[in-house]
Amino acid sequence: MSTVDPFACVGSVRNELIVAIFQKTGAFLSIVGSSLIVSDVAKKVRNGKETDPYQRIMVGLSTLDVLVSFFVLFLGTWMVPKETGWLWAVGNTSSCSVQGFFVVFAGYGETCYQAAISLNILLLIVFGWKQETFSKKVEKPMHFLIIAFVLVFAIIPLVYETYNPWCGGCTIIPLWGKCSAKDEGEFCIVRGNQKVELVLRLIAGAAILIVLIFCTVVMVWVYLHVRRQEMRNRRYNFGISNNADNHRESRRIRKILFLYTLSLYVSYGPWLFAVFIGGPISESISDTIFPLLGFWNMLVYFLPNCLKYQRDHPGTWLVTAYFQVLRPAPCAWSPSGMCAGQKEELEDAPEMNFAKFNTTNEQPATIPVDSATQNNDLEESVNLKI
C-alpha cells in the first residue's frame, strides 16, 4: 500500500521501536497534564468559583491536546493500515482518516489556542483591558474562529481522501502506488489529491510560523512594557499604592507568558526542523519531544500555585510542591507515610487569575511625584521659612 520504506523516516527497526516507546510515553504524560488542567477548571465551576478567559482558553487548548495526544501520538501506528509494514500497524483506511482528521483539527487547533493565550495577556497587561472587556468583546468570537478554521481545514482532506499513511502516522499526503496501466516500476496517485496537499501544507506551515512569530512578538512586547513600568516606579515615589503589588504580579505574568512561549518552541521547534531539513535523526527527535506540549503547559499552568505553596511552606522542594498541588488524594500524608487527615484546600495563587491584574489604566492611590522635584520643593520651603 505504501511506497515508503517502513524505516526510512527513523533509520532502522531499532530506532522505530525507541521512537514509538518515547512517543507513547510523552503522549501519556501530555494526556495526564492536559486532563489535570481541564479538571482544575471544572472543579472551580462545580464549586461556584469564577473562571476567567485565561482558564477557559486553557480548557480549549487542553481538550484539543488530549485529542491529538490520544488519537495521533498515543495510538500512533495502531491506527495506520497494517499493509504499510510499520511497527504495530493494525489499522485500515478508515482509522487512518480518523487519525489524520485529529492531526489537523486538534493539532493545529491547540496551536491557535497558544496564540490566544498570548493575545489574552497582551490585551490585559499592555493595553489595560479588564477581564470583563476581553470576555465580552474577544472571547466568544475567538473561540468560534479557532474551531471553525480548524474544522473546515480538517474536513477538506477528508472529502478529497487525502489523509494517508506516512512515516508511521496518517497526515495530509496523497497515496502513491503502482499504476497497472503503466510500465512496471512507475507510480501514480491511487488515493488523494496532490493539489489539496500542496495548498493545505502551505497554509498549515504559514499558520504555525505566524503563531510562533506572534507569540514571540507578544512576549517581547509584554517584557518591554513591564520593564518600562518598573523604570517608572523607580523614578517616581508612589507612596502607599496598589501599583507596586500589581507591577509585581505583572512580572510574574511575564514569566508565565515566557514559559508558555518556550514550551511552544520546545515542542514545535524540532518538528519544524524535521519538516524543512528532514533526516532520521531530526525526525526521531521531533517524534520524541513533540508529544510533551500538554505536559509542559501543565507545569506552567500550575507553577504559580506551586510557588505559593513553597512560600507558605518554606523549605519545600518545587517537585514536592507540584505533588502537593496536583495529587488527588483525599488526605494528607504524614512523614511516616500514614494518612494524617484531610488534604488542605489550596487556594489559587493571585497570578492564576491574572486577568484581574493590569496596570495601564489603573490610577495610583497617590499622585506620583518626581523625587528630584520633591527635593527641590523641600529646599524652597526651607529657604522661605528662613
Side-chain angles (χ1 to χ4, degrees):
M1 182 176 183
S2 173
T3 62
V4 180
D5 182 357
F7 318 117
C9 294
V10 292
S12 66
V13 180
R14 177 175 172 273
N15 289 349
E16 185 184 22
L17 177 61
I18 294 174
V19 168
I21 293 174
F22 276 101
Q23 188 179 64
K24 292 181 187 299
T25 303
F28 174 76
L29 292 174
S30 190
I31 291 171
V32 171
S34 295
S35 298
L36 286 171
I37 294 175
V38 175
S39 174
D40 179 74
V41 179
K43 183 175 67 176
K44 289 179 173 61
V45 174
R46 287 197 305 269
N47 294 338
K49 294 183 178 180
E50 182 182 0
T51 60
D52 59 33
Y54 161 68
Q55 292 165 335
R56 293 191 287 271
I57 289 172
M58 290 304 300
V59 169
L61 188 155
S62 301
T63 301
L64 293 177
D65 183 76
V66 169
L67 293 175
V68 72
S69 296
F70 179 73
F71 285 102
V72 180
L73 302 170
F74 184 78
L75 294 182
T77 55
W78 291 333
M79 299 190 74
V80 175
K82 58 183 179 181
E83 294 87 354
T84 59
W86 277 85
L87 179 68
W88 303 329
V90 293
N92 52 38
T93 301
S94 297
S95 63
C96 187
S97 296
V98 170
Q99 186 181 77
F101 176 86
F102 283 108
V103 167
V104 176
F105 176 74
Y108 291 105
E110 70 171 343
T111 306
C112 293
Y113 270 112
Q114 290 278 166
I117 295 174
S118 297
L119 176 64
N120 182 239
I121 295 177
L122 175 69
L123 294 178
L124 295 169
I125 300 300
V126 176
F127 291 94
W129 283 34
K130 296 295 183 181
Q131 176 175 318
E132 296 78 10
T133 305
F134 186 91
S135 179
K136 291 178 181 179
K137 293 186 176 181
V138 177
E139 186 177 9
K140 289 182 180 179
M142 178 191 68
H143 286 294
F144 174 78
L145 289 175
I146 291 176
I147 298 301
F149 169 71
V150 295
L151 184 61
V152 171
F153 195 11
I155 289 176
I156 292 175
L158 204 60
V159 173
Y160 286 92
E161 298 183 334
T162 313
Y163 288 129
N164 293 294
W166 178 261
C167 290
C170 297
T171 186
I172 303 175
I173 191 170
L175 183 66
W176 293 79
K178 292 183 179 181
C179 301
S180 57
K182 295 186 178 182
D183 295 336
E184 186 176 354
E186 293 190 9
F187 296 91
C188 64
I189 296 176
V190 296
R191 189 174 187 272
N193 189 301
Q194 196 168 20
K195 291 182 179 179
V196 171
E197 178 211 9
L198 177 62
V199 172
L200 294 184
R201 280 186 176 273
L202 288 174
I203 295 175
I208 292 176
L209 287 176
I210 289 173
V211 168
L212 288 173
I213 294 172
F214 175 75
C215 292
T216 304
V217 170
V218 170
M219 180 183 66
V220 174
W221 198 344
V222 170
Y223 172 83
L224 294 176
H225 174 80
V226 175
R227 181 65 176 170
R228 284 195 298 268
Q229 295 285 359
E230 293 172 350
M231 297 300 292
R232 193 180 71 172
N233 280 350
R234 292 192 184 100
R235 182 180 177 187
Y236 294 105
N237 294 324
F238 282 95
I240 301 175
S241 171
N242 290 330
N243 276 22
D245 292 335
N246 284 343
H247 290 312
R248 191 179 304 112
E249 298 300 337
S250 295
R251 290 196 299 271
R252 293 175 182 173
I253 296 166
R254 178 182 65 188
K255 179 173 68 175
I256 294 297
L257 176 60
F258 170 77
L259 292 174
Y260 274 127
T261 307
L262 181 62
S263 69
L264 189 64
Y265 270 100
V266 169
S267 296
Y268 278 90
W271 179 79
L272 287 173
F273 186 82
V275 169
F276 290 106
I277 305 300
I281 296 179
S282 60
E283 191 72 34
S284 300
I285 295 175
S286 171
D287 291 342
T288 302
I289 296 179
F290 179 77
L292 290 169
L293 180 60
F295 181 74
W296 304 136
N297 284 338
M298 180 271 293
L299 294 180
V300 178
Y301 178 84
F302 287 104
L303 177 62
N305 281 351
C306 295
L307 295 177
K308 180 178 181 295
Y309 186 90
Q310 282 187 304
R311 292 193 296 270
D312 296 339
H313 302 80
T316 304
W317 288 9
L318 185 59
V319 174
T320 305
Y322 269 108
F323 175 76
Q324 294 293 341
V325 170
L326 297 176
R327 67 189 177 93
C331 64
W333 297 94
S334 66
S336 62
M338 301 298 292
C339 183
Q342 284 294 97
K343 175 186 175 183
E344 62 179 313
E345 186 68 22
L346 301 175
E347 295 185 359
D348 285 342
E351 58 267 33
M352 286 294 287
N353 294 316
F354 64 79
K356 297 177 182 178
F357 300 103
N358 65 72
T359 57
T360 303
N361 293 337
E362 183 177 357
Q363 296 297 324
T366 60
I367 300 175
V369 180
D370 193 318
S371 57
T373 304
Q374 188 179 36
N375 293 335
N376 292 336
D377 292 342
L378 181 60
E379 291 177 0
E380 291 178 3
S381 176
V382 172
N383 293 332
L384 287 174
K385 290 181 179 180
I386 294 175

